[in-house]
Amino acid sequence: MRRGELGNETAVVDFIILGFKSIPEVQFLLFLMFLVTYITTVSGNLLIMVLVVIDHYLHSPMFFFLGNLSFLETCYTSTILPRMLASLLTSKYVISLNGCFLQYFFFTGLAGAECCLLSAMSYDRYVAICKPLHYTTIMNSRCCLQLAGVSWVNGFLASAIVTSLMPQLTFCGPNEIDHFFCDFMPVVKLSCSDTHRIELATFILASLLTLPPFLLTLISYVCISYTVLRIPSSTGRQKAFSTCSSHLTVVTLFYGTLIVVYLVPKTNTLGDLHKVFSVCYTVLTPLVNPLIYSLRNNSVKKALR
C-alpha cells in the first residue's frame, strides 16, 4: 500500500474498498449477476434513448425527460458497476484517493440530478392532467430544456462543493472502506481530522437538493389525485392515472430506497443489510426504470413494436 508522509503522521493515499470481500465463496457468482445486471441496464436505457430520438410519436415533453432519465441512469450505473466488476474478477480492491473522490463526485451529482429530474417529470404530469388546455403553451421546448438543464446543473454543483472539501481531510489509517463504492459516510469516518464542517455542508446541500424536489413531487401528485378523482367516468380516471403510473412507480422506488439507505438509523441489526439496501438503490433502480416505462407505457410499447 502506498503511503506519504504528512508531518509526524503517515497519510493514506490509497483506500481498500472491501465490497463483498467477506464472502469470497460467492465472488464469481456475484460477478456474473452484476455483469448481467449492468449489460441489461445499459441496453435497456440505451434502447429508450434511441426510441425517444428516432420515433416522432415520442417527441413530447414527457419522453424528452424520460430520455434524460435514461441517459442519467446509464451514467449512474457506469460510475459504480464497472469498477465493482473489475474488483470481483481480479480481487484487486485498491482505489486511489483521487479516484475515490472522483467516483463520489459523479455518483452524488447524478443522484442529485435525478431528484430534480423526477420532480420536473412530476410537474410535467401535473400540467398535463390539471391544466390540459395550457399544456403545449407551458411545457414548450424552452421550458423543457430549462428544467432539464437546471436539474443537471443543481446536481453537479452541489456535488462539486462537497467533493472540493474532501481533499482537505486527512486520512492516516485505517484505510478500509466497508462498502462497495466511495460513499460519503464510509469515507469521511476514516478521516483523522475534524469532519464537522464537511458533514454540515453535506447535510445542508443534501437537504436543499432532495427535500424541495420531493415536496414538489408530492404536491404535484396530491393535485393530480384531486383532479383525477373529480373526473366523473371511471374510464377517464383510469386513463388519467395510467399516464403517470410509471413515473409514480419510479419515484416511489427511488425515494423509498433513498430513505432506507440514508435516513434509517444504522443499528447493529440493519448494519449487515446496509449493503443490500445500497445495491437496490445504486444497481437495481437503474435496471428496473426502463422495464417499468417499457412495460407500463403504451406509447413505448407501440414504438418498440
Side-chain angles (χ1 to χ4, degrees), residues 291-305:
L291 295 176
I292 291 171
Y293 275 104
S294 61
L295 295 177
R296 302 191 64 175
N297 190 289
N298 291 327
S299 297
V300 174
K301 288 191 286 186
K302 182 178 178 181
L304 284 170
R305 286 195 295 267

Side-chain angles (χ1 to χ4, degrees), residues 274-300:
H274 183 63
K275 289 181 185 178
V276 177
F277 292 137
S278 297
V279 167
C280 295
Y281 169 52
T282 58
V283 178
L284 296 184
T285 301
L287 170 66
V288 300
N289 282 358
L291 295 176
I292 291 171
Y293 275 104
S294 61
L295 295 177
R296 302 191 64 175
N297 190 289
N298 291 327
S299 297
V300 174

Side-chain angles (χ1 to χ4, degrees), residues 168-229:
Q168 300 176 21
L169 299 175
T170 302
F171 299 93
C172 45
N175 69 327
E176 294 182 340
I177 299 175
D178 189 17
H179 211 354
F180 57 87
F181 70 100
C182 291
D183 204 358
F184 179 75
M185 285 310 300
V187 173
V188 170
K189 74 178 184 180
L190 297 179
S191 174
C192 51
S193 56
D194 184 18
T195 61
H196 289 91
R197 181 186 172 192
I198 189 172
E199 288 183 33
L200 179 61
T202 302
F203 175 77
I204 293 173
L205 288 170
S207 299
L208 292 175
L209 199 61
T210 57
L211 191 57
F214 175 73
L215 291 177
L216 287 172
T217 301
L218 187 62
I219 293 170
S220 296
Y221 275 104
V222 169
C223 296
I224 289 171
S225 300
Y226 177 73
T227 301
V228 170
L229 292 175

Side-chain angles (χ1 to χ4, degrees), residues 16-80:
I16 298 175
I17 300 181
L18 296 180
F20 303 96
K21 194 176 180 180
S22 59
I23 44 176
E25 62 276 6
V26 295
Q27 294 291 291
F28 187 69
L29 181 62
L30 287 173
F31 170 79
L32 291 178
M33 183 182 71
F34 286 128
L35 178 62
V36 172
T37 300
Y38 180 62
I39 293 173
T40 306
T41 300
V42 173
S43 301
N45 283 295
L46 284 176
L47 178 60
I48 287 182
M49 283 189 282
V50 170
L51 289 175
V52 169
V53 172
I54 67 174
D55 196 312
H56 68 278
Y57 288 109
L58 302 183
H59 291 175
S60 66
M62 175 183 175
F63 292 104
F64 168 76
F65 291 123
L66 177 57
N68 271 266
L69 181 64
S70 294
F71 176 69
L72 186 151
E73 298 286 25
T74 302
C75 298
Y76 185 63
T77 193
S78 297
T79 302
I80 297 173

